Amino acid sequence: MKPFAYARPGSVAEAVRDVAAEPAAVFLAGGTNLVDHLKLGVARPDLVVDVRTLTSREISDLPDGGLRLGAASTNSEVAADRRVRERYPVLAEALLAGATGQLRNTATTGGNPLQRTRCVYFQDVTTACNKRDPGSGCSAVGGYTRHHAVLGVPAALPDPTAPETCTATHPSDMAVALAALDAQVQVLGPAGERTIPFADLHRLPGDDPSRDTVLEHGELITALDLPPLPAGARSAYRKVRDRASYAFALVSVAAVVTADGPGSSTVRIALGGVAHKPWRATRAEQVLRGGPLTEDAVRAAMAAELAAAQPQPGIDGGNGFKIPLLTRTVVATLRELVEATR
Amino acid sequence: MTDLLEPRAIGRDLARRDGVAKVRGTATYAFETPVEHPAYAHPVQATVARGRVTAVDTSAAEALDGVLVVLTPSTAERLASTDDAELAVLQTDEVGFRGQLVGVVVAETSELARQAADLVRVAYEERQHDSVLSVDRDDLYAPEQVNAGHETDTAEGDVGAAMASAAVALERTYSTAMYHNNPLEPHATTALWDPAAEVPLTLWDSTQGVHPDRATVCRVLGLEERQVRVVCPYIGGGFGSKGTPHANVVLAAMAARALPGRPVKLALTRQQMFSLAGYRTPTIQQVQLAADRSGRLSAIAIDVVEQTSRIKEFAEQTGVPTRMMYASPNRRTTHRLAALDVPVPSWMRAPGECPGMFGPEVALDELADELGLDPVDLRIRNEPEVDPETGKPWSSRHLVECLREGAQRFGWADRPAPRHRDGAWLVGTGVASSVYPTMRQATSTARIRYADGRYVAEIGAADLGTGTWTTLPQVAADALGVDVDDVEVRIGDTEYPIASVAGGSSGLNTWGSALVVAAREFRGKFGRRPEDGDEATGDVDQAAQDEDHAAYAFGAQFVEARVHADTGEVRVPRLLGVFACGRIVNPRTARSQFVGGMTMGLSMALHENSVWDPQVGQVANHDLAEYHVTVNADVGDVQAHWLDEHDPYVNAMGSKGIGEIGIVGTAAAVVNAVHRATGVRVRDLPVTLDKLLTGLD
């Protein structure tokens, strides 16, 4: 662990100023991921600015019928909030599917979406990783790909030496639900406030896998806004993992179904565990728009969504199983939601 | 025949004597040992899988204020013995596996030591490494013997001819994964080298045996036993990985010797444990079974391929249980090893039996399927009259009774049909047998002294969470014929008489036998009315030793598995085991051992898998977030029952040892249940959902 300075300024504005002024500064909220990274040498900041008590911990009603989640509210608090459970069950379920009770008591609304990939190579400073050490290459190609991406990657075996190669997945469950809910991210930065649609917060590796999000240095999430769901909408989160608890998703599905009329629904689908960002399945949503949610229709929609998927070969058979598993999990999740709306 | 103790304290459900201290956090573990002004060590590990260290630059590390010592292969002391390459720490520039020790930093704080270790720059001449195990390697070899001194190969009759002429012949390949023991407490040592002291080296070390630990350290460092003391009252689990000292213990001693008078603490990180603390080899098992239509076996064979490290051989005795488990006129077992550029494998709970009862017990289920027989009946039909390997009669063998009682308790007769569906879940049940040899070690001595109206027994035994602190007083009380509250037993210190390792489920059998000899000696010398200071010792080798019988514990495990019809997720709501392990000394600690073993078997079946990355040359998932062990949410109703088994041959307690049998057979029973639920036969562990998806509708 590299020594660092620790600061707990008196206000959010001060915290933003402090981080913006120091290139190797980071914000600390719940610390459930950052503290591990400090120990492992994955994060090597000179300055850690603690914002845990600076941003709001409130969960409040918005005038449009939505909810605002203060950045410092904990995952446990949000999951237990009656309004969240009644209006956004997909979010409560996603939060409760993540981590453990102890971690959820500490992890925050602002921090959870900013947690970093659990790619084993990213977390091991003795192996090459373009995300941790830009330009060093990617050890995951042909390696342990079970938890890696099949969507948003250019090829089944990308060039491991290329600086843009990264097949990491985003590990957050909460973020998958937020993508399906069309949440809005409230951000304060050195240049002032701005609002980012949640779907645009995370990015694909592009030519810089080291950047997980579009946030600029010094920008801090202050709140997440949940817009109201249409009347009669039902939502659910389904996580499939290698053990019953305390494991990251192999695949996960956040779905919101709104019945538009007889034989016609609007569906929102977000997928987790399969891409560098929470993956909004817009292609599948388009195919399903206005039609009946039969299992055949959902399978066809997922076939369209997954046409460009790239299974990553690797140890123990690679991760090609995620492609049929995604379809099966989406079919099962929508089946249950449709049955519940009847 | 042995005179069995009359059980008065034995058999009682006594609470752990160390329980309160552990719950309150006052029990001190190795790293927590209170010492004056400790320094902290952090290892430096090789980042190449094979090669040579060409240069080590320690300047940046040494420049940090508070760094006390940096040792490298060129600055470390020369050890007295380098015969054991795993323990020849910092004695050569050669790197035999990734993660091998190439240095250590000692500093004022653990954080500083870790920071400085990161700053040590090591240059390597890297060579091509080879770490992929397969059955078709051309360099597989037969070791001289396999673990615990067993023969490498055995053969009787003609398996090939029996396979060719049998009504049903089955030939299948099974594999088990690489597993890491992962005790909760990491491998940790507090070491003090004080050359002027009467005992210059003291190690507070997390070990399954203070005396074997000391013997090894003495050999490696060239010290006399009287110069070294090893202390270990409590252990936060070991599962075999603390049964023999690994490189970290030698490194801690070397760090302390480089800093005379200053205690040095060294605890491995979880990640470091994946390359330095031993593991169970992956195994590939080619199993052959031949049978007539009634299910009577005419041949049983297992050919095992597994790995060892190029720098040190460890040969897991995977084929051994096949030699004695079932009756069959034709039999063969073989072991072949690949020596790879990998860390050194070692003991993990039930070495041999645990992986070795996977392939054959699944194969029997496949055979039962093919014959249309109940797998419980198939096992009963192949019950041997005497030990097939030695021809000796059994000291006691109640496998059939375990199977029958288990079937009855589990509701086996009413089990659902194959591919039974309950809502979204497919439901299946499975069974497998368990076995573990009853062992007693050759060396252990107990000393009993009478003082202040109480009996104090001392023996350098170990309690790695098993209950030794509680069960040895029960044995001593019955041997002395006194109330258990009048007996105190002290363990975990080389100041006490020599004791064997807590391994091979032999602890209680061995140390208890020594206590019984000591108690009889004591009563013989001093009668029923001793005086303060009266003292007697007893050695295990004076205890009656039966050579005429084959002694094993047996068991049967039943599993209900549920597989999600959409996603292939596996849940195991019920595990039920019935065991025949002689007399149970303490039902409370025994149940904990059985249930713990069975849960670890479930973990092996569904979750555990050290994912070896041959590109990098290390375990990819080297922490507990990624190396999955079964968690609470995976564990449903786990029941352990036992028969009231009387065995007059094993020892004076009539006990067979229970630390390991619980993990044996569980994984096969899970696979068999999953097959019944889905029709998919998973022959390579773990049973993960991706292996089931293609078989689901």
Coordinates of all heavy atoms in Angstrom, one line a residue, chain A residues 30-81:
Chain A
G30 N -18.3 4.8 0.6 CA -18.4 3.6 1.5 C -17.1 2.9 1.6 O -16.8 2.2 2.6
G31 N -16.3 3.0 0.6 CA -14.9 2.4 0.6 C -14.9 0.9 0.4 O -13.8 0.2 0.6
T32 N -16.0 0.2 0.1 CA -16.0 -1.2 0.1 C -15.2 -1.7 -1.1 O -14.7 -2.9 -1.1 CB -17.5 -1.8 -0.1 OG1 -18.0 -1.2 -1.3 CG2 -18.4 -1.4 1.1
N33 N -14.9 -1.0 -2.1 CA -14.1 -1.4 -3.2 C -12.8 -0.6 -3.2 O -11.7 -1.2 -3.3 CB -14.9 -1.1 -4.5 CG -14.3 -1.8 -5.7 OD1 -14.4 -1.2 -6.8 ND2 -13.7 -2.9 -5.6
L34 N -12.8 0.7 -2.9 CA -11.6 1.5 -2.9 C -10.6 1.0 -1.9 O -9.4 0.9 -2.2 CB -11.9 3.0 -2.7 CG -10.7 3.9 -2.7 CD1 -9.9 3.9 -4.0 CD2 -11.1 5.3 -2.3
V35 N -11.0 0.7 -0.7 CA -10.1 0.3 0.3 C -9.4 -1.0 0.0 O -8.1 -1.2 0.2 CB -10.8 0.1 1.7 CG1 -9.9 -0.4 2.8 CG2 -11.3 1.5 2.1
D36 N -10.1 -2.0 -0.6 CA -9.4 -3.2 -1.2 C -8.4 -2.8 -2.2 O -7.2 -3.3 -2.2 CB -10.4 -4.1 -1.9 CG -11.3 -4.9 -0.9 OD1 -11.0 -4.9 0.3 OD2 -12.3 -5.5 -1.4
H37 N -8.7 -1.9 -3.1 CA -7.8 -1.5 -4.1 C -6.6 -0.7 -3.6 O -5.5 -0.9 -4.1 CB -8.5 -0.6 -5.2 CG -9.4 -1.4 -6.0 ND1 -10.3 -0.9 -6.9 CD2 -9.5 -2.8 -6.2 CE1 -11.0 -1.9 -7.5 NE2 -10.5 -3.0 -7.1
L38 N -6.7 0.0 -2.5 CA -5.6 0.6 -1.9 C -4.6 -0.4 -1.3 O -3.4 -0.3 -1.5 CB -6.1 1.5 -0.7 CG -6.9 2.8 -1.1 CD1 -7.4 3.5 0.1 CD2 -6.0 3.8 -1.9
K39 N -5.2 -1.5 -0.7 CA -4.3 -2.5 -0.1 C -3.6 -3.3 -1.2 O -2.5 -3.7 -1.1 CB -5.2 -3.5 0.7 CG -5.7 -2.9 2.0 CD -6.5 -4.0 2.7 CE -7.2 -3.5 3.9 NZ -8.2 -4.5 4.5
L40 N -4.3 -3.5 -2.3 CA -3.8 -4.4 -3.4 C -2.8 -3.6 -4.3 O -2.2 -4.2 -5.1 CB -4.9 -5.0 -4.2 CG -5.8 -6.0 -3.5 CD1 -7.0 -6.3 -4.4 CD2 -5.0 -7.3 -3.2
G41 N -2.8 -2.3 -4.2 CA -2.0 -1.5 -5.1 C -2.7 -1.2 -6.4 O -2.0 -0.7 -7.3
V42 N -3.9 -1.6 -6.5 CA -4.7 -1.3 -7.7 C -5.0 0.2 -7.8 O -4.8 0.8 -8.9 CB -6.0 -2.1 -7.8 CG1 -6.9 -1.7 -8.9 CG2 -5.7 -3.6 -7.8
A43 N -5.3 0.8 -6.7 CA -5.5 2.3 -6.6 C -4.3 2.8 -5.9 O -3.9 2.3 -4.8 CB -6.8 2.6 -5.9
R44 N -3.6 3.9 -6.4 CA -2.4 4.4 -5.8 C -2.5 5.9 -5.7 O -1.7 6.7 -6.3 CB -1.2 4.0 -6.6 CG -1.1 2.5 -6.9 CD 0.1 2.1 -7.8 NE 1.3 2.2 -7.1 CZ 1.8 1.2 -6.3 NH1 1.2 0.1 -6.2 NH2 2.9 1.4 -5.7
P45 N -3.6 6.4 -5.1 CA -3.8 7.9 -5.0 C -2.8 8.5 -4.1 O -2.2 7.9 -3.2 CB -5.2 8.0 -4.5 CG -5.4 6.8 -3.6 CD -4.6 5.7 -4.3
D46 N -2.6 9.8 -4.3 CA -1.8 10.6 -3.3 C -2.7 11.2 -2.3 O -2.3 11.6 -1.2 CB -1.1 11.8 -4.0 CG 0.1 11.2 -4.9 OD1 0.6 10.2 -4.5 OD2 0.4 11.8 -5.9
L47 N -4.0 11.4 -2.7 CA -5.0 12.1 -1.8 C -6.3 11.4 -1.8 O -6.8 11.1 -2.9 CB -5.1 13.6 -2.2 CG -6.3 14.4 -1.5 CD1 -5.9 14.5 0.0 CD2 -6.4 15.7 -2.2
V48 N -6.8 11.1 -0.7 CA -8.2 10.5 -0.6 C -9.1 11.5 0.1 O -8.8 11.9 1.3 CB -8.1 9.1 0.2 CG1 -9.5 8.6 0.5 CG2 -7.3 8.1 -0.5
V49 N -10.1 11.9 -0.6 CA -11.0 12.9 0.0 C -12.3 12.2 0.4 O -13.1 11.6 -0.5 CB -11.3 14.0 -1.1 CG1 -12.3 15.0 -0.5 CG2 -10.0 14.7 -1.4
D50 N -12.6 12.2 1.7 CA -13.8 11.5 2.2 C -15.0 12.3 2.1 O -15.1 13.4 2.7 CB -13.5 11.1 3.7 CG -14.5 10.2 4.3 OD1 -15.5 10.0 3.7 OD2 -14.1 9.6 5.3
V51 N -16.0 11.8 1.3 CA -17.2 12.6 1.1 C -18.4 11.9 1.8 O -19.6 12.3 1.6 CB -17.5 12.8 -0.4 CG1 -16.5 13.6 -1.0 CG2 -17.6 11.4 -1.1
R52 N -18.1 10.9 2.6 CA -19.1 10.0 3.2 C -20.2 10.8 3.9 O -21.4 10.5 3.8 CB -18.5 9.1 4.2 CG -19.4 8.0 4.7 CD -19.7 7.0 3.6 NE -20.4 5.8 4.1 CZ -21.6 5.8 4.5 NH1 -22.4 6.9 4.4 NH2 -22.2 4.7 4.9
T53 N -19.8 11.9 4.6 CA -20.7 12.6 5.4 C -21.1 14.0 4.8 O -21.8 14.8 5.4 CB -20.2 12.9 6.8 OG1 -18.9 13.6 6.6 CG2 -19.9 11.6 7.6
L54 N -20.7 14.2 3.5 CA -20.9 15.5 2.9 C -22.1 15.5 2.0 O -22.9 16.4 2.0 CB -19.7 15.9 2.1 CG -18.4 16.0 2.9 CD1 -17.2 16.5 1.9 CD2 -18.5 17.0 4.0
T55 N -22.3 14.4 1.2 CA -23.5 14.4 0.3 C -24.7 14.0 1.1 O -24.5 13.5 2.3 CB -23.2 13.4 -0.8 OG1 -22.9 12.2 -0.3 CG2 -22.2 13.9 -1.8
S56 N -25.8 14.1 0.6 CA -27.1 13.9 1.3 C -27.3 12.4 1.5 O -26.9 11.5 0.6 CB -28.3 14.4 0.5 OG -29.5 13.9 1.0
R57 N -27.9 12.0 2.6 CA -28.2 10.6 2.9 C -29.7 10.4 2.8 O -30.2 9.4 3.1 CB -27.7 10.3 4.3 CG -27.6 8.8 4.5 CD -26.8 8.5 5.8 NE -26.9 7.1 6.2 CZ -26.1 6.5 7.1 NH1 -25.3 7.3 7.8 NH2 -26.2 5.2 7.3
E58 N -30.4 11.5 2.3 CA -31.9 11.5 2.2 C -32.4 10.7 1.0 O -31.7 10.7 0.0 CB -32.4 12.9 2.1 CG -32.1 13.8 3.3 CD -32.8 13.3 4.6 OE1 -34.1 13.1 4.5 OE2 -32.2 13.0 5.6
I59 N -33.5 10.1 1.2 CA -34.3 9.5 0.1 C -35.6 10.4 0.0 O -36.3 10.3 1.0 CB -34.6 8.1 0.2 CG1 -33.3 7.2 0.4 CG2 -35.5 7.5 -0.9 CD1 -33.5 5.8 0.8
S60 N -35.8 11.2 -1.0 CA -36.9 12.1 -1.0 C -37.7 12.0 -2.3 O -37.2 11.7 -3.3 CB -36.3 13.5 -0.8 OG -35.2 13.8 -1.7
D61 N -39.0 12.4 -2.1 CA -39.9 12.4 -3.2 C -39.6 13.6 -4.2 O -39.3 14.7 -3.7 CB -41.3 12.6 -2.7 CG -41.8 11.3 -2.1 OD1 -41.9 10.2 -2.8 OD2 -42.0 11.3 -0.8
L62 N -39.7 13.4 -5.4 CA -39.5 14.4 -6.4 C -40.9 14.9 -6.9 O -41.9 14.1 -6.8 CB -38.7 13.9 -7.6 CG -37.3 13.7 -7.4 CD1 -36.6 12.9 -8.5 CD2 -36.5 15.0 -7.1
P63 N -41.0 16.1 -7.3 CA -42.3 16.7 -7.7 C -43.0 15.8 -8.8 O -44.3 15.7 -8.8 CB -42.0 18.1 -8.2 CG -40.7 18.4 -7.7 CD -40.0 17.1 -7.5
D64 N -42.3 15.2 -9.7 CA -42.9 14.5 -10.8 C -43.3 13.1 -10.3 O -43.8 12.3 -11.2 CB -41.9 14.4 -12.0 CG -40.7 13.6 -11.6 OD1 -40.5 13.1 -10.4 OD2 -39.8 13.4 -12.5
G65 N -43.2 12.8 -9.1 CA -43.6 11.5 -8.6 C -42.5 10.5 -8.5 O -42.6 9.3 -8.1
G66 N -41.3 10.9 -8.9 CA -40.1 10.1 -8.8 C -39.5 10.2 -7.4 O -40.0 10.7 -6.5
L67 N -38.3 9.6 -7.3 CA -37.6 9.6 -6.0 C -36.1 10.1 -6.3 O -35.5 9.8 -7.3 CB -37.5 8.2 -5.5 CG -38.5 7.6 -4.6 CD1 -38.1 6.3 -4.1 CD2 -38.8 8.6 -3.4
R68 N -35.6 10.8 -5.3 CA -34.2 11.2 -5.3 C -33.5 10.5 -4.2 O -33.9 10.5 -3.1 CB -34.1 12.7 -5.2 CG -32.6 13.2 -4.9 CD -32.4 14.6 -5.1 NE -32.6 15.0 -6.5 CZ -32.4 16.2 -7.0 NH1 -32.1 17.2 -6.2 NH2 -32.6 16.5 -8.3
L69 N -32.4 9.8 -4.7 CA -31.6 9.0 -3.7 C -30.3 9.8 -3.5 O -29.5 10.0 -4.4 CB -31.2 7.6 -4.3 CG -32.3 6.8 -4.9 CD1 -31.8 5.5 -5.5 CD2 -33.4 6.5 -3.8
G70 N -30.2 10.3 -2.2 CA -28.9 11.1 -1.9 C -27.7 10.1 -2.1 O -27.8 8.9 -1.8
A71 N -26.6 10.7 -2.5 CA -25.4 9.8 -2.8 C -24.9 9.1 -1.6 O -24.3 8.0 -1.7 CB -24.3 10.7 -3.4
A72 N -25.2 9.6 -0.4 CA -24.6 9.0 0.8 C -25.6 8.0 1.4 O -25.3 7.3 2.4 CB -24.2 10.0 1.8
S73 N -26.8 7.8 0.8 CA -27.7 6.8 1.4 C -27.1 5.4 1.1 O -26.4 5.2 0.1 CB -29.1 6.9 0.7 OG -28.9 6.8 -0.7
T74 N -27.2 4.5 2.1 CA -26.6 3.2 1.9 C -27.4 2.3 1.1 O -28.7 2.5 1.0 CB -26.3 2.6 3.3 OG1 -27.6 2.2 3.8 CG2 -25.6 3.5 4.2
N75 N -26.8 1.3 0.6 CA -27.5 0.3 -0.2 C -28.6 -0.4 0.6 O -29.7 -0.6 0.1 CB -26.6 -0.8 -0.7 CG -25.6 -0.3 -1.9 OD1 -24.8 -1.0 -2.4 ND2 -25.8 1.0 -2.3
S76 N -28.3 -0.6 1.9 CA -29.3 -1.2 2.8 C -30.5 -0.3 3.0 O -31.7 -0.7 2.9 CB -28.7 -1.5 4.2 OG -27.7 -2.5 4.1
E77 N -30.2 1.0 3.2 CA -31.3 2.0 3.4 C -32.2 2.1 2.1 O -33.5 2.1 2.2 CB -30.8 3.4 3.7 CG -30.2 3.4 5.1 CD -29.2 4.6 5.3 OE1 -28.9 5.3 4.4 OE2 -28.7 4.7 6.5
V78 N -31.6 2.1 1.0 CA -32.4 2.2 -0.3 C -33.2 1.0 -0.5 O -34.4 1.0 -0.8 CB -31.5 2.5 -1.5 CG1 -32.3 2.5 -2.8 CG2 -30.8 3.8 -1.3
A79 N -32.6 -0.2 -0.2 CA -33.3 -1.5 -0.4 C -34.5 -1.6 0.5 O -35.5 -2.2 0.2 CB -32.4 -2.6 -0.3
A80 N -34.4 -1.0 1.7 CA -35.4 -1.1 2.7 C -36.5 -0.1 2.6 O -37.5 -0.2 3.3 CB -34.8 -1.1 4.1
D81 N -36.2 1.0 1.8 CA -37.2 2.1 1.8 C -38.5 1.6 1.2 O -38.5 1.0 0.1 CB -36.6 3.2 0.9 CG -37.4 4.5 1.0 OD1 -38.4 4.6 0.1 OD2 -37.2 5.3 1.8

